[in-house]
Amino acid sequence: MNAAELEQLIVADGSQAQDLRAEPDRVRKATVGDEVHLRAIIEFSSYCRCNCDYCGLRADNKNLTRYRLRPEEILQAAVVAESLGFGTVVLQSGEDEGWTAEGLAEVVADVKARTHLAVTLSVGEREDWEYRLWREAGADRYLLKHETADRDLYERVHPGASFDRRIRCLEVLAEIGYQIGSGCIVGLPGQTAAILAQDLLLMRRLNLHMAGIGPLIPHPDTPLAGMAIGEAEIVLNMMALTRLLIPDIMLASTTALETAMEGGRLAGLRAGGNVIMPNITPREYASFYEIYPGKKAPHIEIVAEVERAHRVIAAAGRTVGKGPGHSPRLTRQAVA
Ligand code: SF4
């Protein structure tokens, strides 16, 4: 599919959208099967040096209570994740300069030593040597959303940030040997279907192992306050097209999609998704990690949140994934 064809399909609605989403579901079944993998997210620090125009964690938001989990609290949360049946823990934070590379490497090594969990890091842009250190400590995967493939738009909504640096980080992470994940936001100001088509082509060029595509949900204490939430139907079309362009991708059906549309995670699983990421951040902290308002998980107890994910998977007629749920590309390489 070329950019012009993608552009048409991204805005498909009604029966055209139904048709568009049927084929990716078949591709998903043939490439990654019926399992839906659960990734346990631990949001371990809400400090961030960045000022993304839509995000409640932005440095200039003085209304947010900031917190930073202690290493032993992160380790304890990971042990809880394993006891709840998760195969992967995602350690996520803002770009927190309070965490040294060495400190985070120790946490990764401890989680790997104490559990059988795969570890995904999602802590933003750091130096190459830091990415290397964490990989050597045992981190398996890295999530770094590219947010938008349009350089001007990227640099407009991420003051002080560089689009080229963002992409370079993703390339370095892949070279180092991480399974890499990225993805975009739907609904940014000035975004067009042509730009979203470029997002899809960029994700294919990066040959991502994982992706997450979510709607813009601007936080009220940010410059984009009051903007409309990104259209869930377009997110679903983008997910479907991602599955067609990168057939073996691990594709998240996000909590943000559920926030934008009742039943969004189920719809996402039917549009090619095969990953759900329940939030298991200790509840005394979770409500302060307010990237966007109205996040559902922080208000639900951890066990209930996991059970809810199981119900969504059952409603989709699928099974809960076992083990770490690595990219099938990795398993194929190991066998070859
Ligand atoms: S989106 Fe990420 S990098 Fe940007 S302000 Fe929020 S937490 Fe920081």
Side-chain angles (χ1 to χ4, degrees):
M1 272 181 282
N2 60 32
E5 288 165 331
L6 290 171
E7 216 178 303
Q8 298 279 317
L9 293 168
I10 285 164
V11 292
D13 56 11
S15 61
Q16 208 193 357
Q18 296 301 324
D19 293 350
L20 167 65
R21 291 176 208 158
E23 179 59 12
D25 200 43
R26 281 192 286 274
V27 171
R28 184 270 309 155
K29 192 176 178 68
T31 51
V32 294
D34 280 338
E35 287 192 325
V36 177
H37 292 279
L38 294 177
R39 318 298 202 196
I41 300 191
I42 302 171
E43 297 158 334
F44 68 93
S45 168
S46 66
Y47 287 89
C48 189
R49 64 182 170 181
C50 302
N51 253 319
C52 306
D53 270 358
Y54 44 83
C55 175
L57 266 56
R58 69 198 309 269
D60 284 356
N61 180 9
K62 305 300 179 210
N63 295 333
L64 189 74
T65 303
R66 308 278 171 172
Y67 70 87
R68 190 178 285 129
L69 264 64
R70 294 189 304 279
E72 56 274 22
E73 290 176 302
I74 302 174
L75 184 60
Q76 180 54 33
V79 169
V80 168
E82 188 168 47
S83 73
L84 291 171
F86 286 94
T88 292
V89 76
V90 181
L91 304 184
Q92 187 167 72
S93 71
E95 294 205 4
D96 179 5
E97 290 167 315
W99 269 94
T100 64
E102 291 80 3
L104 186 53
E106 259 181 57
V107 169
V108 171
D110 284 348
V111 171
K112 297 298 282 191
R114 285 275 302 277
T115 71
H116 296 95
L117 295 166
V119 173
T120 301
L121 290 177
S122 178
V123 301
E125 296 177 18
R126 300 284 287 236
E127 299 301 323
D128 299 5
W129 69 268
E130 298 178 289
Y131 290 150
R132 270 197 200 89
L133 188 72
W134 300 331
R135 178 82 182 117
E136 283 159 15
D140 301 274
R141 313 184 191 124
Y142 203 99
L143 295 179
L144 185 70
K145 299 255 187 91
H146 71 273
E147 315 292 12
T148 173
D150 185 271
R151 175 179 282 97
D152 290 345
L153 177 55
Y154 181 90
E155 293 179 358
R156 202 161 60 239
V157 296
H158 302 106
S162 151
F163 177 75
D164 291 339
R165 170 156 164 75
R166 192 75 166 183
I167 300 304
R168 188 182 170 279
C169 283
L170 281 161
E171 289 166 349
V172 167
L173 287 161
E175 273 165 35
I176 291 171
Y178 286 95
Q179 296 168 61
I180 58 163
S182 195
C184 60
I185 302 172
V186 169
L188 289 169
Q191 191 179 48
T192 60
I195 290 176
L196 289 169
Q198 292 309 315
D199 284 312
L200 293 169
L201 294 173
L202 175 63
M203 290 194 283
R204 182 169 67 178
R205 178 174 78 69
L206 291 167
N207 199 21
L208 301 178
H209 299 88
M210 311 172 284
I213 298 163
L216 174 76
I217 308 179
H219 191 282
D221 294 322
T222 67
L224 295 191
M227 264 203 75
I229 290 178
E231 280 183 54
E233 294 296 330
I234 293 189
V235 174
L236 293 169
N237 289 347
M238 290 287 287
M239 288 180 66
L241 291 164
T242 302
R243 174 63 66 196
L244 291 180
L245 290 174
I246 316 171
D248 64 359
I249 198 158
M250 305 299 283
L251 185 61
S253 189
T254 64
T255 312
L257 182 54
E258 185 74 33
T259 302
M261 177 177 109
E262 194 69 38
R265 284 201 294 192
L266 176 58
L269 290 184
R270 290 178 171 151
N274 72 324
V275 169
I276 288 184
M277 304 173 79
N279 184 347
I280 67 145
T281 305
R283 286 327 194 226
E284 62 268 38
Y285 299 109
S287 60
F288 300 125
Y289 200 85
E290 211 180 61
I291 291 180
Y292 56 83
K295 278 174 76 182
K296 296 199 169 158
H299 311 295
I300 299 172
E301 287 310 310
I302 289 171
V303 172
E305 169 63 5
V306 175
E307 286 170 356
R308 205 164 68 119
H310 281 223
R311 281 198 299 278
V312 172
I313 294 168
R318 312 266 286 278
T319 55
V320 177
K322 297 202 169 34
H326 287 307
S327 159
R329 223 176 289 163
L330 227 70
T331 321
R332 281 198 300 275
Q333 280 163 3
V335 170

